[in-house]
Amino acid sequence: MPTLQNLEEKIQKLGEQFILPYTKEIDQEARFPKEAYEALKQQGFMGLLVPKEYGGLQGGNLDHVEACYNLARFNASTALCYMMHNVATACVSHYGTAHQKSLYLPKIAKGEATFALAYSESGSGTHFVNPDITESQKGEKRILEGRKSFVTSAQQANYYLTYTNSCKLQGKKNNWIVPSNHPSLTHEEGVWNGFGMRGNVSKPVQYKQVELEVADCLLGSEGDGENQINLVAMYFVTGLGAVYSGVGMAAYECVLQHCLTRKYSDGKDLADNELVRIHLAELYTKTQSQIALVREAARAFDSGASDAPMKVFACRINATHLVMEICELAMRLGGGKAYSKHLPLEQYLRDAMASQVMAPSLDVLKIWLGNAITNKG
């Protein structure tokens, strides 16, 4: 069983062995990063946020962002899928009943159960806090009916944490732990063919009279979904900030190596040009800014600081703006090798572009931050 000590070093080692050799293939084939996921399971990292009493590592948000950041330096899709698993795990760890914790958390810690989030819907777009999916009562059981539009790790994760409208408490929400192999779940045909993040195998999932046991599957108490979604948002937003910080760092490290090794006929390399060094200085500064604010947001959340929500929203906004700027400038410095795809910078740019629209989108985050700053809205 791993420990939190030297977490960055351990994730780096895992990435070099189980992610790096497959990164290009994952992007080209739009396939799930199965090698990385198996390694994360076997080495105990799926239990990063599981309490020690259930066999986990009992990490916090800062450990979460460190793991996601370092995975993203190898492959953004891997980091994204893992990030969502962690978010769901944190929610189960914080809000699950004693029965649910004993049922799911040891399996997560052992790598026997992985989670994904089924939140996005076509009707609400990036405002996933307003679901359309409905519930109905059937004796002691509950029936879910509706459709989720983007489920990352679809048919790869064992459970989908599914956000719904409560049928018992008007205006309240619920989170449900839904087995991905439930016979009444329908995964729509087709392969995820996204512009970027091509290994996340996202697809729509239809809930057609999905019958669930309340004791096992209704996370926490009836109507507590909104409190749970607040926790989800904190881990999700910092996690995405970490993922896009990792993409930015990967682009910087790639183009730095290119500038130091691209030789001209006079024997000089690209980095001998002063303007190139100025650009590299700009890239370095932006990469450091990205992850620094993400780490500070995670620390603020872990310590219960009153300004934690503002820092969390700001870290994702900052990471989103900067990752696009970093990748655009890296492409310029990469020149023909970048545009002919002899360098992976084009993939980093495509992965970076998703940061604007991935829920909660950039504009929604700015609204949230503005509301938090002014205490309005």
Side-chain angles (χ1 to χ4, degrees), residues 172-186:
K172 296 294 185 179
K173 314 296 183 194
N174 286 325
N175 255 321
W176 292 88
I177 300 171
V178 182
S180 63
N181 62 354
H182 194 288
S184 296
L185 278 183
T186 300

Side-chain angles (χ1 to χ4, degrees), residues 98-310:
H99 166 68
Q100 290 165 348
K101 289 179 181 180
S102 64
L103 181 62
Y104 298 109
L105 294 181
K107 293 179 182 178
I108 295 172
K110 293 175 184 176
E112 297 172 355
T114 59
F115 276 70
L117 301 178
Y119 283 1
S120 297
E121 296 183 12
S122 298
S124 56
T126 61
H127 298 268
F128 59 73
V129 294
N130 299 312
D132 291 325
I133 190 170
T134 61
E135 305 171 9
S136 59
Q137 191 78 29
K138 182 182 178 181
E140 297 299 317
K141 298 182 180 181
R142 202 72 58 89
I143 308 297
L144 272 56
E145 182 75 26
R147 179 180 182 270
K148 295 295 183 177
S149 55
F150 292 104
V151 178
T152 294
S153 304
Q155 296 178 290
Q156 300 295 327
N158 301 108
Y159 298 94
Y160 302 150
L161 195 60
T162 304
Y163 199 55
T164 70
N165 294 296
S166 170
C167 66
K168 299 189 74 173
L169 297 176
Q170 183 68 29
K172 296 294 185 179
K173 314 296 183 194
N174 286 325
N175 255 321
W176 292 88
I177 300 171
V178 182
S180 63
N181 62 354
H182 194 288
S184 296
L185 278 183
T186 300
H187 294 84
E188 295 185 13
E189 294 296 326
V191 176
W192 168 253
N193 188 26
F195 180 72
M197 293 287 185
R198 289 175 52 78
N200 82 75
V201 297
S202 177
K203 65 171 54 181
V205 179
Q206 297 180 29
Y207 291 64
K208 298 181 176 181
Q209 296 290 299
V210 175
E211 186 175 302
L212 299 171
E213 295 283 352
V214 172
D216 290 351
C217 301
L218 175 59
L219 183 59
S221 57
E222 183 74 41
D224 198 34
E226 287 176 294
N227 288 328
Q228 296 172 19
I229 209 73
N230 289 332
L231 178 81
V232 165
M234 295 297 102
Y235 277 92
F236 191 86
V237 174
T238 54
L240 279 178
V243 170
Y244 287 111
S245 296
V247 173
M249 180 57 74
Y252 163 72
E253 291 175 334
C254 175
V255 80
L256 173 62
Q257 184 64 21
H258 170 70
C259 291
L260 291 172
T261 56
R262 168 66 169 93
K263 298 292 185 180
Y264 292 101
S265 56
D266 62 2
K268 293 184 177 181
D269 57 47
L270 191 56
D272 283 318
N273 185 299
E274 184 178 39
L275 180 57
V276 169
R277 295 198 298 274
I278 290 172
H279 287 325
L280 290 172
E282 181 182 351
L283 288 175
Y284 177 83
T285 302
K286 288 179 176 179
T287 59
Q288 296 303 308
S289 171
Q290 278 188 301
I291 191 57
L293 186 51
V294 171
R295 286 169 173 155
E296 175 54 29
R299 288 190 193 99
F301 176 83
D302 284 342
S303 66
S306 59
D307 62 347
M310 290 182 284

